[in-house]
Amino acid sequence: MLVPFHEMPGDARLWIYQSNRSLSPHEVAFVKQCTEEFIQRWQAHGQDLKASYKIEYDQFLIISVDESFSQASGCSIDSSVHLIKALEHELQVSFMTSGQVAFLIDDQIRLFPFAELKDQVKKSILKAETKIFDNTVKNVAELSEKWLVSSEKTWFNRYL
């Protein structure tokens, strides 16, 4: 059951899929269409899931489930990963970029591998006030409050 993202409760669970590159307007439209079709038929143990999605910065696909309506199961979560894999294959993009961290620098998203973070701090490219996309947020409330914040307010602080 697809609902508008703004109607999701604060405790709704979410998953953030970060693309390794910005998506074109055509690709964004394709992702929207595929994701809407998927969510409209998404179920766990025969029960519809109350879910939503949004695309941010043409680079992040965020999927949310209101588990007070119906719990997402392991199988239903696996089926959402199949959606992501299909999108990756069709668009020749990777949404599974857990080895890279996204920052907003000069109004552009820049991705850095974990192994390069210390060097980027030494070069003063990444600073305490640099905005980071903290994809470890777990629900809709955290998304609005803690997703895009100064680096010093996240786990990244240990690199500063």
Side-chain angles (χ1 to χ4, degrees):
M1 167 187 330
L2 177 65
V3 298
F5 198 89
H6 70 273
E7 291 181 12
M8 298 300 286
D11 63 349
R13 185 175 180 187
L14 58 82
W15 295 267
I16 300 173
Y17 297 99
Q18 170 182 293
S19 172
N20 63 332
R21 64 171 173 80
S22 183
L23 302 174
S24 71
H26 174 74
E27 290 171 324
V28 168
F30 179 77
V31 170
K32 285 180 177 181
Q33 177 188 350
C34 292
T35 304
E36 286 177 12
E37 289 172 2
F38 170 78
I39 289 176
Q40 287 174 359
R41 64 180 193 281
W42 199 14
Q43 293 187 334
H45 303 293
Q47 298 284 330
D48 286 343
L49 292 173
K50 185 176 179 183
S52 193
Y53 80 97
K54 66 178 177 172
I55 298 172
E56 292 287 342
Y57 298 92
D58 296 333
Q59 200 153 347
F60 299 90
L61 172 57
I62 303 167
I63 298 176
S64 180
V65 173
D66 179 356
E67 292 192 305
S68 69
F69 181 81
S70 185
Q71 293 279 323
S73 66
C75 291
S76 65
I77 294 167
D78 286 348
S79 69
S80 69
V81 173
H82 291 303
L83 164 70
I84 300 304
K85 295 286 188 192
L87 292 171
E88 288 179 326
H89 177 75
E90 185 66 30
L91 300 175
Q92 295 300 298
V93 67
S94 176
F95 282 104
M96 303 292 193
T97 58
S98 60
Q100 295 186 330
V101 183
F103 295 86
L104 188 61
I105 301 172
D106 298 327
D107 295 324
Q108 292 186 21
I109 296 173
R110 302 232 357 235
L111 301 176
F112 296 100
F114 276 102
E116 293 181 14
L117 294 179
K118 286 181 183 178
D119 288 338
Q120 299 302 326
V121 170
K122 286 179 187 174
K123 294 176 186 176
S124 295
I125 293 172
L126 300 177
K127 305 170 189 164
E129 64 275 5
T130 304
K131 298 288 187 186
I132 185 173
F133 292 91
D134 185 357
N135 294 335
T136 66
V137 297
K138 306 222 181 313
N139 58 45
V140 170
E142 287 184 3
L143 180 72
S144 63
E145 299 165 5
K146 299 178 181 178
W147 181 50
L148 180 59
V149 295
S150 297
S151 295
E152 64 190 346
K153 296 180 179 177
T154 70
W155 58 266
F156 185 74
N157 189 36
R158 67 178 167 249
Y159 290 95
L160 300 173

